[in-house]
């Protein structure tokens, strides 16, 4: 591989969840440490790295499509190479080389030392030492606090590709948040596939305790956490949201289905009654809390009546936002052994029904804020008109009709609202 006199350049491409975003950022730092420049555009790059997702077939298809484009990119200049990591690497491993002959490396994102050592040998003389990364202008950062998942939801591949739960220590997390804040970050999102099963490996401190420790980091303005499992919802967590000044009033609590029979087939380990009680508690303890959820439509055997259960749950709860996906069978999961028997057209119709119902609900909820004061963390300015925008504590995107500096926290009155965003002045 010929890289010339300059540091070899890496182009990072990513799909999937927030955990992949955090992994991609950590990879960029590892590349910089060994002397590779990780911020390259594809056309300037010597090495392309794909950080992949396997949660639905669509995510895998995106990576396959990208690999198709990269085959041409690789041929256009000698010495170029392609590496794949992330959840498809964990799922398919070395079998990917037969499917994608253009691929040079497949590596484990959690154990990248061996891969980094190979790159160091390969680029040899072209590598002069750590490449300084430009000071980030990042205001928000993702901080993984627990890896893996011990649940076994029957549709889900995550436990297979991410392994068993492993929590990081409170001190380690607090130290990382401290470094991020020194670098200009004012908001962190504590991450885990099942974040509310977090426990410090030594002291047993739970997520509420971790949040209290993170709250003590001077200079931090906001903290959030993703993704909670309904069966680990605790009174202590709701109390933490209410009490801690940095804790934002937002709970993302995936329900997946509004039918008990479907939830049983999904092995979600809670009933709708229990789920509703958690939401009732959340709204009682933190009245201004925003609630969001994930829904799967067209799961194996989902009847018209079961789907109607989901629609009526959405009408009853009135979530602020809903992420909906059509069921996608994943090889190796328990549900893969059941027939995927809801026809594609029906899945699509159910998906559209959820989207259109939720659009009305989100719009109504946002419009109920007209005239109210919201706290906005200003994140940037619109590319076209330079208007400042940011998010409220409830995570609503808000455009400001007045001057405000990114990084500042302002209070503004809501003057307009759609299903997707607020305007405040
Ligand atoms: N740990 C989180 C997120 C898991 S993956 C949780 O428990 O909710 C993110 C979302 O993808 C899930 O909430 C689910 O709605 C969706 N999902 C997971 N597997 C899926 C599959 N096989 N088909 C369709 N959607 C799926
Ligand atoms: Fe998947 Fe269920 Fe674990 Fe979420 S809780 S990652 S849906 S197995
Ligand atoms: Fe996808 Fe892996 Fe996240 S499968 S959703 S990138 S944990």
């Amino acid at each position: 591989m010929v890289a010339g006199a300059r540091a070899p350049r890496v182009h990072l491409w990513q799909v999937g969840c927030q955990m992949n975003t955090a992994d991609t950022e950590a990879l960029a730092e590892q590349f910089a440490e060994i002397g590779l420049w990780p911020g390259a555009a594809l056309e300037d790059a010597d090495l392309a790295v794909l950080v992949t997702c396997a949660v639905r077939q669509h995510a895998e298809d995106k990576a396959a499509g990208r690999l198709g484009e990269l085959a041409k990119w690789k041929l256009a200049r000698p010495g170029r190479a392609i590496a794949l990591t992330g959840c498809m690497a964990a799922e398919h491993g070395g079998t990917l080389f037969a499917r994608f002959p253009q691929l040079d490396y497949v590596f484990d994102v959690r154990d990248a030392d061996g891969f980094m050592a190979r790159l160091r040998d390969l680029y040899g003389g072209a590598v002069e030492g750590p490449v300084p990364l430009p000071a980030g202008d990042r205001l928000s950062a993702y901080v993984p606090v627990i890896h893996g998942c011990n649940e076994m939801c029957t549709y889900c591949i995550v436990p297979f590709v991410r392994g068993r739960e492993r929590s990081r220590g409170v001190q380690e997390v607090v130290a990382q948040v401290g470094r991020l804040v020194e670098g200009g970050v004012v908001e962190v999102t504590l991450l885990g596939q099942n974040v509310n099963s977090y426990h410090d490996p030594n002291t047993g401190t739970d997520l509420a305790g971790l949040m209290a420790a993170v709250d003590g980091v001077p200079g931090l303005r906001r903290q959030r956490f993703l993704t909670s499992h309904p069966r680990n919802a605790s009174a202590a967590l709701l109390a933490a949201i209410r009490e801690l000044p940095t804790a934002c009033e937002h709970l993302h609590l995936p329900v997946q289905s509004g039918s008990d029979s479907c939830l049983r087939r999904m092995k979600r380990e809670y009933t709708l009654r229990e789920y509703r009680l958690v939401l009732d508690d959340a709204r009682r303890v933190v009245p201004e809390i925003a609630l969001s959820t994930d829904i799967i439509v067209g799961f194996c055997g989902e009847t018209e009546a079961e789907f109607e259960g989901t629609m009526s749950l959405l009408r009853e709860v009135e979530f602020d936002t809903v992420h909906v996906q059509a069921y996608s069978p994943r090889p190796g999961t328990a549900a893969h052994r059941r027939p995927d028997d809801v026809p594609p057209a029906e899945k699509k119709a159910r998906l559209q029904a959820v989207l259109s119902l939720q659009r009305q609900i989100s719009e109504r909820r946002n419009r109920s804020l007209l005239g109210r004061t919201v706290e906005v963390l200003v994140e940037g300015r619109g590319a076209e008109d330079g208007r400042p925008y940011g998010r409220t504590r409830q995570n609503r995107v808000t455009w400001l009709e007045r001057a405000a500096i990114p990084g500042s926290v302002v209070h503004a009155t809501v003057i307009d609202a759609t299903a997707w965003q607020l305007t405040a002045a």
Side-chain angles (χ1 to χ4, degrees), residues 333-353:
T333 59
H336 194 246
R337 294 193 291 270
R338 299 170 189 265
D340 174 24
D341 51 4
V342 177
E346 182 59 30
K347 281 185 186 168
K348 211 167 160 186
R350 293 180 187 181
L351 191 97
Q352 286 307 327

Side-chain angles (χ1 to χ4, degrees), residues 100-122:
F100 303 104
Q102 65 273 46
L103 204 52
D104 298 281
Y105 308 97
V106 173
F107 69 97
D108 178 353
V109 74
R110 304 243 141 263
D111 187 13
D113 288 356
F115 173 64
M116 295 292 163
R118 284 175 73 184
L119 291 181
R120 224 179 351 227
D121 292 346
L122 193 74

Side-chain angles (χ1 to χ4, degrees), residues 49-69:
V49 180
L50 308 188
V51 185
T52 60
C53 170
V55 78
R56 286 174 288 277
Q57 188 56 41
H58 181 64
E60 295 209 25
D61 293 345
K62 274 201 225 163
R66 191 68 177 165
L67 281 165
E69 294 159 18

